[in-house]
Amino acid sequence: HQDAISAALAGDWQRAHESVQQHDDPFSCWIHAVLHKIEGDAGNSRYWYAQTAHDYADFADPRAELEAIKKALVET
């Protein structure tokens, strides 16, 4: 998870996607949702959000959302 977040924050979408697709858990789905939000693919993003307890509209800033995911990972 941390690798996918770090890659996304660095702007390396390919590495972030490859990393997150290796897992099938709520955090991975959340990260995947944010990646598609950043790419402007709202439909795909909403699909991945539906696999989580979060919503597309929860965060306006994807970077802040990635930081929130990073923090949530540490807290679990």
Side-chain angles (χ1 to χ4, degrees):
H1 298 109
Q2 293 293 351
D3 182 55
I5 293 171
S6 295
L9 289 170
D12 188 346
W13 310 124
Q14 183 173 347
R15 191 177 101 217
H17 256 114
E18 289 171 359
S19 178
V20 80
Q21 288 175 331
Q22 295 178 24
H23 306 282
D24 185 25
D25 60 85
F27 278 109
S28 295
C29 291
W30 189 11
I31 296 165
H32 206 159
V34 176
L35 293 176
H36 284 290
K37 182 191 281 188
I38 290 167
E39 294 169 347
D41 187 352
N44 207 348
S45 180
R46 283 181 164 81
Y47 167 83
W48 288 104
Y49 276 109
Q51 314 306 310
T52 74
H54 305 280
D55 189 74
Y56 185 87
D58 287 349
F59 288 84
D61 177 18
R63 188 170 192 85
E65 187 167 6
L66 289 169
E67 291 292 347
I69 297 169
K70 195 173 176 181
K71 182 178 178 187
L73 282 165
V74 172
E75 293 173 352
T76 58

